[in-house]
Amino acid sequence: MNFVEAEKVFPWVKEGKGNIVYEAIDRHVESGAGDTVALYYSDGEREESLTFAEIQSKSSQFARGLLQLGIQQGDRVFLFMPRSPDLYIALIGIIRMGAIAGPLFEAFMESAVRDRLQDSGARAIVTTPSLLTRIPQSDLPELAHVIVAGAKEELAAPLHAFEQVMKQPDDPFIQEVSGEDGLYLHYTSGSTGKPKGVLHAHAGLLHQYVSGAVVYDFRPGDKYWCTADPGWITGTSAGIFAPWLHGVSIVVRGGRFRSEDWYATIEKYGVTVWFSAPTAFRMLMAAGDDVPKQFDFSKLRHVLSAGEPLNPEVIRWGEQVLQRRIHDNWWMTETGSTICANRPDIPVRLGSMGKPLPGIHLAIVDSKGNELPPNTMGDLAILPPWPAMMRAIWGNEEKYQSYFRNGWYISGDSAYRDEDGYFWFQGRIDDVINTSGERIGPFEVESKLVEHPAVAEAGVIGIPDPMRGEIIKAFVTLRQGYSPSEELAVQIKQFVKEKLAAHAAPREIEFRSGLPKTRSGKIMRRVLKAWELGLPTGDLSTLEE
Ligand code: 6R9
């Protein structure tokens, strides 16, 4: 399977009209697979399953409900809720009616939610009673509707009960769109500025379909579990659409991480394909090898990892404990689907990200955008376009253009390619932090830190951590009248947790009397990093003093 063949399966994508939801859901119902389970959900307390036919009817109801509220094609409708069947019905319903879905990670606090709703001009958001307080009441003139799933009380506009919005005919309804129309918007961090909205299009389904075939190895009857939350690209592209485009059942587990529950999930549903991330594998490793011995993984056929570098040690653990090789694959929010992978049809090279998908030109380029020979480190770059490539940075053409150099899409990662065409990840070029596979922009954390009354200035970096890949460390100077203490450090960490998100809060804080800055006043994170790691600080000619 490759992109050209995928275009033959979905000819409307290039010229014509259709909808990714038709291909992911309705097509299976029409071909007689309506009774196949599309989604198995459990969270330890509740267990539920939904067939393709049920998702078709329920998401049609929701789509009609949105229409009745006045939502139009191209409007942004956000999702801010824990994983539950309602989340999937709402997501599919939004896309079904031609609106653009904006899935948000449930750990975001008010200011993170505000930034994203404001930037995208969101018209509606779907949430739950417990998260409702984090949806700002002010500064969002375009936000016309807040839809609350599972509300116990009567709601008055702009609040609506999800169950009320659902009160619509359940026969299939779908809005046809063109392949280039907006699908979803995922916010992600760069090294400067606030998170940016990465816009994807329906045409990305061609790529998701190919990744499903050649990387995730989907086969009829598979039970697939991708542990990523739909708030991140892995959770939507690889977690929902790739499998459903292949008619494969997905397993969704709500609630927190517990190693026993994870192993039990694989056994209980007879998971055949499992996609997770290095931090999760390392946490399972840390829980000890006696735990997995109590479970049956005999149905498991293929194991995948993405999001951060996969240590060879973890692959060896997988071979011993799961009796399976973990297949690393590389991509980004911006690439929309897998770009490079240890595909099942090639031998795994431990520690490498594998080879590019057929039809993708992946290369290492220098600072001028010239391709480099094998075994030379440089910028990991892709020749545009590819089907799942982002279509825009929402409202920021300049930012979008800044990704490109001499015709190449520049990933921001450094890597090299060996003589056999395998790519080897070396690190980030910019200051973006990757903690537990989640991309954190230091600027967003610094901005929150300086809102704390005690903090004058802050510089934030990632420092190596054996479990999480990197952890966030903040260097902080204090305002007059405050002095460093353990208690203050705890307070500041808590402040970021409550105002931004738990996963974006620094795990370490170091108080300093000053921070290294350029003459233009920019904090030099590179110098902070060198201090931290005891490395030479390099060229300091632009340092203020
Ligand atoms: C899909 C996803 C993208 C960044 C990317 C890189 C890192 C992703 C990786 C990997 C080493 C891998 N990354 N996969 N690093 N090996 N297999 O993770 O998207 O959240 O946008 O992060 O994650 O640094 O640039 P996103």
Side-chain angles (χ1 to χ4, degrees), residues 10-72:
F10 310 104
W12 64 269
V13 168
K14 287 275 140 151
E15 37 197 277
K17 293 219 156 190
N19 190 310
I20 190 173
V21 163
Y22 174 81
E23 308 300 348
I25 304 290
D26 302 21
R27 185 167 58 100
H28 308 307
V29 179
E30 287 175 16
S31 68
D35 291 339
T36 302
V37 173
L39 176 93
Y40 292 95
Y41 174 82
S42 78
D43 58 16
E45 284 162 28
R46 191 153 66 112
E47 261 178 51
E48 250 177 76
S49 65
L50 290 169
T51 64
F52 282 102
E54 285 169 328
I55 294 191
Q56 181 185 46
S57 52
K58 286 177 192 283
S59 62
S60 292
Q61 288 175 296
F62 191 69
R64 283 203 174 85
L66 288 177
L67 269 184
Q68 199 144 82
L69 290 178
I71 303 296
Q72 295 177 357

Side-chain angles (χ1 to χ4, degrees), residues 193-304:
K194 287 188 171 175
K196 51 206 174 190
V198 176
L199 180 67
H200 286 283
H202 283 246
L205 75 90
L206 296 172
H207 194 155
Q208 295 166 344
Y209 188 73
V210 171
S211 293
V214 308
V215 182
Y216 320 145
D217 193 37
F218 293 140
R219 300 182 197 172
D222 267 340
K223 303 259 175 35
Y224 169 62
W225 183 29
C226 173
T227 61
D229 188 271
W232 315 114
I233 191 85
T234 316
T236 51
S237 173
I240 301 174
F241 289 102
W244 281 353
L245 286 166
H246 285 272
V248 160
S249 317
I250 68 171
V251 172
V252 172
R253 197 178 194 296
R256 294 195 168 277
F257 174 89
R258 262 188 71 227
S259 56
E260 283 88 352
D261 293 346
W262 274 40
Y263 291 125
T265 300
I266 299 175
E267 176 181 273
K268 178 170 166 196
Y269 294 101
V271 170
T272 53
V273 181
W274 184 31
F275 193 142
S276 197
T279 294
F281 292 124
R282 288 189 293 258
M283 282 162 74
L284 291 174
M285 261 173 93
D289 293 354
D290 289 339
V291 192
K293 284 198 188 114
Q294 305 154 29
F295 298 92
D296 174 13
F297 309 130
S298 55
K299 299 259 170 56
L300 195 60
R301 187 183 75 244
H302 190 42
V303 185
L304 297 130

Side-chain angles (χ1 to χ4, degrees), residues 1 10 83 103 178-179 182 194 203 206 213 226 255 288 294 345 365 410 435:
M1 178 54 61
F10 310 104
R83 266 169 272 176
S178 85
K194 287 188 171 175
L206 296 172
C226 173
Q294 305 154 29
D345 63 326
V365 302
I410 305 294
T435 179

Side-chain angles (χ1 to χ4, degrees), residues 241-469:
F241 289 102
W244 281 353
L245 286 166
H246 285 272
V248 160
S249 317
I250 68 171
V251 172
V252 172
R253 197 178 194 296
R256 294 195 168 277
F257 174 89
R258 262 188 71 227
S259 56
E260 283 88 352
D261 293 346
W262 274 40
Y263 291 125
T265 300
I266 299 175
E267 176 181 273
K268 178 170 166 196
Y269 294 101
V271 170
T272 53
V273 181
W274 184 31
F275 193 142
S276 197
T279 294
F281 292 124
R282 288 189 293 258
M283 282 162 74
L284 291 174
M285 261 173 93
D289 293 354
D290 289 339
V291 192
K293 284 198 188 114
Q294 305 154 29
F295 298 92
D296 174 13
F297 309 130
S298 55
K299 299 259 170 56
L300 195 60
R301 187 183 75 244
H302 190 42
V303 185
L304 297 130
S305 169
E308 28 163 351
L310 181 67
N311 333 59
E313 191 194 339
V314 178
I315 303 183
R316 282 187 217 108
W317 165 84
E319 282 177 346
Q320 266 172 21
V321 172
L322 305 169
Q323 312 272 312
R324 300 288 177 279
R325 221 158 222 210
I326 305 175
H327 291 67
D328 188 19
N329 68 106
W330 177 92
W331 48 302
M332 306 176 70
T333 306
E334 293 87 339
T335 71
S337 187
T338 296
I339 293 293
C340 186
N342 285 284
R343 305 187 314 244
D345 63 326
I346 59 170
V348 170
R349 283 210 177 156
L350 273 69
S352 104
M353 311 188 289
K355 294 186 183 188
L357 264 71
I360 289 198
H361 189 110
L362 186 66
I364 305 297
V365 302
D366 66 14
S367 58
K368 298 201 176 67
N370 297 314
E371 226 177 313
L372 290 168
N375 297 319
T376 317
M377 208 170 117
D379 294 349
L380 185 62
I382 315 167
L383 195 66
W386 61 94
M389 180 181 179
M390 62 172 169
R391 297 310 202 259
I393 296 295
W394 193 264
N396 196 340
E397 176 62 18
E398 198 187 328
K399 194 90 198 174
Y400 181 78
Q401 290 305 335
S402 71
Y403 279 92
F404 302 95
R405 181 193 307 156
N406 194 23
W408 293 95
Y409 164 86
I410 305 294
S411 67
D413 288 354
S414 65
Y416 69 88
R417 174 173 46 110
D418 66 22
E419 298 86 355
D420 302 315
Y422 283 81
F423 283 78
W424 300 76
F425 178 83
Q426 299 295 295
R428 282 295 298 184
I429 299 161
D430 55 21
D431 300 327
V432 169
I433 301 165
N434 189 332
T435 179
S436 303
E438 271 148 25
R439 229 167 115 173
I440 308 287
F443 179 78
E444 202 181 12
V445 186
E446 288 161 358
S447 306
K448 195 49 67 186
L449 282 165
V450 297
E451 283 176 23
H452 188 280
V455 177
E457 285 182 316
V460 164
I461 59 168
I463 62 173
D465 179 77
M467 184 70 76
R468 295 181 170 79

